[in-house]
Amino acid sequence: MAEGYVEFEFDLPSALLASLVGKFAEMDSASLTHGHTMQVPDEQGVYQLLVGGQVVYVGKTDADSGLRGRLSKHAWTIQHRQNLKPEDVQFKCARVFVFTAMDLEKLLIRHYAQTADVWWNFSGFGSNDPGRNRDTTELKAAGFDAVYPIDLDHPVDINCEGGVPAARVLDALRAELPYTLRAEGEPGKVRKPHPDLVNSIVPPFAVKPATTREVTLAVLSVLPAGWQATALPGRIIMYREQRDYSAGVVIGRS
């Protein structure tokens, strides 16, 4: 090797990872609530979610959603769940000004997996509706929806007083739910409500339904015979059927 010459390769991924882990360790966490997430800049960065002081999820933002948007979405997702109080979930986040081609999320997951579970990353947490073809799929015992199934008896305040089609009541309920409520659509036009939902009128409420279960039963009460509402661990489905689901509970039938 020539005199006065050395080859040096800076391990940027490891250095950035160590800096981020150190920064997270010295930070105080905040409750994953709308009030706190709205104070976070909507910038690119990385974040972690904690339950009981343990890191359960690590994520990063992308061009479509910054830290505020992503954390606000997570704050909505953890609502209306059994065995999980939203105030028990905390977050830490950091804006990262230099994003390189490295996968910071993967590096952070690998690091925290050595000392903590980060099990929400592999549990289906935050997933979109898998669709009708997956309704009969067996649920992983350690999945997010299995550990924290939806709470049908959680209070809701629907923006509807009755006296409207059942489809309108379901729309009002959907607006209140942090998870999927999927109902059978018009044959050949699944994005349009089924004629039964359009033509069946829910009378004005003498006592306004106060929970998800009560609203669902109010809709079923006016539908023609043959409809069934089922609570799967992460969503509600309503179809013209009479069947049992291994991972679901029948809410009611018309």
Side-chain angles (χ1 to χ4, degrees), residues 237-252:
I237 59 174
M238 187 178 292
Y239 284 88
R240 292 180 301 163
E241 61 183 4
Q242 299 272 320
R243 66 182 298 182
D244 293 322
Y245 292 83
S246 60
V249 176
V250 175
I251 303 172

Side-chain angles (χ1 to χ4, degrees), residues 58-136:
V58 171
K60 69 175 181 179
T61 62
D62 51 33
D64 295 328
S65 179
L67 288 168
R68 183 194 305 147
R70 186 64 57 80
L71 290 170
S72 294
K73 181 179 179 180
H74 290 330
W76 181 236
T77 300
I78 63 173
Q79 306 291 317
H80 298 214
R81 294 281 176 165
Q82 300 178 50
N83 311 320
L84 182 66
K85 296 179 181 179
E87 58 268 25
D88 292 339
V89 183
Q90 305 279 310
F91 75 89
K92 295 180 180 181
C93 64
R95 179 181 181 184
V96 180
F97 287 90
V98 180
F99 259 104
T100 69
M102 74 186 77
D103 192 337
L104 288 178
E105 185 177 39
K106 183 180 294 185
L107 290 172
L108 286 166
I109 290 174
R110 185 181 303 159
H111 170 81
Y112 287 109
Q114 297 174 2
T115 56
D117 283 337
V118 289
W119 67 274
W120 285 19
N121 279 95
F122 313 102
S123 70
F125 170 70
S127 299
N128 295 324
D129 180 16
R132 181 65 169 155
N133 292 334
R134 298 292 297 276
D135 287 342
T136 57

Side-chain angles (χ1 to χ4, degrees), residues 7-246:
E7 292 184 349
F8 171 74
E9 181 179 355
F10 181 65
D11 188 354
L12 180 59
S14 295
L16 183 54
L17 174 64
S19 295
L20 281 170
V21 169
K23 179 60 65 175
F24 277 139
E26 68 185 27
M27 288 174 60
D28 292 328
S29 60
S31 297
L32 188 64
T33 61
H34 179 72
H36 283 143
T37 60
M38 290 306 293
Q39 297 178 37
V40 175
D42 208 22
E43 303 290 349
Q44 280 196 311
V46 292
Y47 62 92
Q48 55 183 218
L49 305 182
L50 307 92
V51 176
Q54 177 179 324
V55 179
V56 295
Y57 188 85
V58 171
K60 69 175 181 179
T61 62
D62 51 33
D64 295 328
S65 179
L67 288 168
R68 183 194 305 147
R70 186 64 57 80
L71 290 170
S72 294
K73 181 179 179 180
H74 290 330
W76 181 236
T77 300
I78 63 173
Q79 306 291 317
H80 298 214
R81 294 281 176 165
Q82 300 178 50
N83 311 320
L84 182 66
K85 296 179 181 179
E87 58 268 25
D88 292 339
V89 183
Q90 305 279 310
F91 75 89
K92 295 180 180 181
C93 64
R95 179 181 181 184
V96 180
F97 287 90
V98 180
F99 259 104
T100 69
M102 74 186 77
D103 192 337
L104 288 178
E105 185 177 39
K106 183 180 294 185
L107 290 172
L108 286 166
I109 290 174
R110 185 181 303 159
H111 170 81
Y112 287 109
Q114 297 174 2
T115 56
D117 283 337
V118 289
W119 67 274
W120 285 19
N121 279 95
F122 313 102
S123 70
F125 170 70
S127 299
N128 295 324
D129 180 16
R132 181 65 169 155
N133 292 334
R134 298 292 297 276
D135 287 342
T136 57
T137 302
E138 291 290 338
L139 206 64
K140 294 181 179 179
F144 181 84
D145 290 334
V147 177
Y148 308 117
I150 60 176
D151 184 0
L152 297 176
D153 299 308
H154 193 283
V156 292
D157 185 14
I158 60 170
N159 184 25
C160 179
E161 300 294 337
V164 297
R168 288 271 301 278
V169 178
L170 288 181
D171 285 343
L173 179 58
R174 284 191 186 94
E176 285 292 303
L177 297 181
Y179 51 82
T180 295
L181 190 169
R182 182 178 1 102
E184 184 171 342
E186 181 179 342
K189 301 177 181 179
V190 294
R191 293 187 179 276
K192 290 188 176 182
H194 191 277
D196 286 354
L197 298 173
V198 176
N199 299 326
S200 300
I201 303 300
V202 178
F205 298 125
V207 178
K208 192 173 182 180
T211 68
T212 300
R213 186 190 304 275
E214 290 175 355
V215 177
T216 305
L217 291 175
V219 170
L220 285 172
S221 70
V222 301
L223 292 179
W227 281 82
Q228 173 180 306
T230 305
L232 297 173
R235 58 195 179 278
I236 294 174
I237 59 174
M238 187 178 292
Y239 284 88
R240 292 180 301 163
E241 61 183 4
Q242 299 272 320
R243 66 182 298 182
D244 293 322
Y245 292 83
S246 60

